[in-house]
Amino acid sequence: MKYCLLIFTLTVIFSCETKLTRQIVFDGDSMTTPKPKDGGTEWPILLRQQVGPGYVGWQNFAVAGQTLAQMLEDQQIQVIPACTKNRAILMVWGGINDLHHGSNADALATMIKAYHQRANSNYITTFAFTLTASQYAKYAPTENQRESERLKFNRWLRTNWQKIGADALVDLAADKRIGNFDSVANRKYFQADKLHMNQGGRAVVAELVKAQL
């Protein structure tokens, strides 16, 4: 009985210590980067406020304008070392800039697969994200083509997120508040540029991510 109690106690202590040292790392573009354009709070901080003290050591490597190719470069140099130190959960939300620059769904799939598989080979837990829409005026001439490729990529990711090594899927595009093509015109959740979310939209993202933790 004493040995059983000892084993149980050590298991509880180990479990508590493991959870308390769990970190969350973020990678992506302007949808995730610190200091949003509207001056509000980025969704990683909103998430941190919701999950409380169970997670520590938050690091955000998102950069405005970053493409998946650039994320892959930084992953090897910055992100993986940060994740492997403290059993981090890695949030991977990117791809809209690639679509803006003319990449198609197949190209996005290839790069996001490489990103998650590399993380998986380093024993890093990853969350994959479907893409919300863009009606950003600068890229209006290619809006229909971009939307078609976004929908195609999202369908692929919903089918394959486990196969590429991701541990969870945050399906932003499936949420009616922020996920439809016309959602970006709703000023309750999006800024006037019809691409970036405001405080309301970022709160929804934090809510959807928390549900997967």
Side-chain angles (χ1 to χ4, degrees):
M1 178 65 71
K2 289 182 180 180
Y3 289 115
C4 292
L5 286 173
L6 177 61
I7 293 171
F8 175 77
T9 302
L10 289 174
T11 301
V12 171
I13 292 173
F14 177 76
S15 298
C16 291
E17 288 179 346
T18 298
K19 185 176 182 181
L20 288 173
T21 57
R22 200 79 196 249
Q23 296 195 354
I24 301 183
V25 173
F26 305 85
D27 198 9
D29 47 39
S30 57
M31 307 300 283
T32 301
T33 189
K35 299 180 180 179
K37 289 184 177 180
D38 64 348
T41 305
E42 63 264 30
W43 70 264
I45 299 300
L46 297 177
L47 175 65
R48 182 176 186 174
Q49 293 168 355
Q50 291 185 30
V51 300
Y55 298 86
V56 297
W58 299 66
Q59 288 186 274
N60 191 345
F61 292 102
V63 177
Q66 187 165 232
T67 64
L68 288 173
Q70 291 168 328
M71 287 171 61
L72 278 165
E73 291 178 10
D74 293 341
Q75 183 193 24
Q76 191 73 36
I77 300 169
Q78 294 180 318
V79 180
I80 287 178
C83 291
T84 53
K85 285 181 180 179
N86 291 291
R87 297 182 60 256
I89 298 173
L90 174 57
M91 306 289 174
V92 187
W93 180 11
I96 194 63
N97 290 314
D98 301 80
L99 292 179
H100 283 157
H101 296 309
S103 291
N104 60 26
D106 292 338
L108 265 65
T110 297
M111 288 185 285
I112 206 70
K113 177 181 178 180
Y115 193 106
H116 284 279
Q117 288 187 333
R118 183 187 288 169
N120 184 260
S121 69
N122 284 274
Y123 307 101
I124 297 169
T125 299
T126 59
F127 281 28
F129 287 65
T130 54
L131 300 179
T132 51
S134 168
Q135 294 185 33
Y136 198 54
K138 180 179 179 180
Y139 303 102
T142 59
E143 190 171 277
N144 291 336
Q145 178 64 22
R146 182 173 61 252
E147 178 63 4
S148 175
E149 295 300 323
R150 179 184 78 93
L151 295 174
K152 181 180 177 181
F153 170 76
N154 286 344
R155 288 193 296 269
W156 172 84
L157 189 59
R158 290 184 184 115
T159 301
N160 293 283
W161 63 271
Q162 290 176 303
K163 296 176 184 177
I164 65 175
D167 297 274
L169 175 68
V170 183
D171 198 349
L172 303 178
D175 190 283
K176 293 181 180 180
R177 293 168 292 180
I178 62 172
N180 297 330
F181 178 70
D182 291 332
S183 296
V184 295
N186 188 342
R187 295 296 294 276
K188 183 177 180 181
Y189 301 109
F190 286 84
Q191 298 177 43
D193 63 9
K194 297 183 180 180
L195 168 64
H196 298 98
M197 295 181 195
N198 58 23
Q199 199 75 355
R202 293 189 295 268
V204 173
V205 175
E207 170 195 323
L208 296 175
V209 173
K210 181 186 177 185
Q212 297 295 329
L213 287 172

